[in-house]
Amino acid sequence: PKLYGRPRRIWRRFRSTLATKIPPVTSESASKSFPRVFTPSKPHGSFTQRFIASAKDSVQLCYSKLGRHAEAVEQHTEALAIARKIGDRRGVGSWLGYLGSAYVKLGQYQRAIEHYTQALAISREIGDRLGEGSVLGNLGTAYASLGQYQRAIEHRTQALAISREVGDRRGEGRWRGYLGSACDKLGQ
């Protein structure tokens, strides 16, 4: 990011701190960091697991911002496993979508499409229209990256329709812009 003055110094300190290997988040490290919340005498089951998954999300975000996408994929994969273990369908769908986005950044578009397709099925299953629109748009991005602009247009058109339906003005603007770009590539 283009930052100046104090924000720039803070960003540099943040980056230098993360330049070293970020330790993995486990239930043991969570209980050490938050002893009042995670005491061994009180089993919290899925709450503890959700906390760990959330912490992994924060760690992967840092990795992504640093351009360390392979390590972000590792954190996403672990969080996905936790979501599956505790039966959190919305979480599974979200993590599959995040994995798809990480694979796009790594240039592994087919893997991204596989993960997005699974996330789309879950979004539809649980009735998450906003999530469905987001995943459809992301599928369009993956197809556009492969040069399959017609498929990109189809998915982004569906994403645009859902954004309109749910009143997501930001999403509507995003998908309109991406649609224009894909149409331009096809000479339409």
Side-chain angles (χ1 to χ4, degrees):
K2 291 194 179 232
L3 300 172
Y4 301 97
R6 186 165 186 256
R8 186 175 187 178
R9 287 191 300 276
I10 292 169
W11 175 249
R12 282 185 178 165
R13 191 175 324 134
F14 175 72
R15 279 192 11 209
S16 67
T17 302
L18 291 176
T20 60
K21 176 90 170 124
I22 299 171
V25 178
T26 63
S27 38
E28 182 180 317
S29 65
S31 64
K32 285 180 184 175
S33 300
F34 303 94
R36 278 190 250 153
V37 177
F38 300 103
T39 56
S41 61
K42 295 180 182 177
H44 290 286
S46 66
F47 177 77
T48 304
Q49 297 297 316
R50 286 177 197 214
F51 174 80
I52 293 168
S54 177
K56 288 185 178 297
D57 182 43
S58 299
V59 171
Q60 75 72 30
L61 181 62
C62 295
Y63 280 138
S64 290
K65 293 289 183 190
L66 292 170
R68 294 163 60 176
H69 303 296
E71 291 163 296
V73 165
E74 185 180 314
Q75 295 297 317
H76 283 313
T77 304
E78 291 175 17
L80 174 61
I82 291 169
R84 283 185 171 144
K85 180 180 176 183
I86 64 174
D88 179 9
R89 294 299 285 161
R90 183 177 299 276
V92 170
S94 295
W95 294 115
L96 286 166
Y98 296 150
L99 271 167
S101 296
Y103 282 124
V104 165
K105 291 175 183 167
L106 287 170
Q108 298 179 22
Y109 304 116
Q110 278 307 132
R111 288 188 83 178
I113 290 169
E114 291 168 14
H115 285 83
Y116 285 145
T117 303
Q118 292 175 50
L120 179 61
I122 291 172
S123 290
R124 287 178 172 160
E125 172 190 317
I126 64 174
D128 179 11
R129 294 293 284 164
L130 191 60
E132 181 181 347
S134 180
V135 173
L136 282 164
N138 290 336
L139 267 166
T141 299
Y143 282 119
S145 298
L146 288 171
Q148 298 179 22
Y149 299 111
Q150 193 56 50
R151 289 187 87 174
I153 290 170
E154 291 167 11
H155 285 88
R156 288 174 175 166
T157 302
Q158 292 176 54
L160 175 61
I162 290 172
S163 291
R164 285 181 182 153
E165 175 189 318
V166 299
D168 177 19
R169 300 287 292 165
R170 180 177 288 160
E172 189 176 338
R174 180 183 322 124
W175 304 133
R176 281 182 182 276
Y178 287 147
L179 268 169
S181 175
C183 288
D184 188 48
K185 296 283 186 182
L186 288 176
Q188 296 179 356

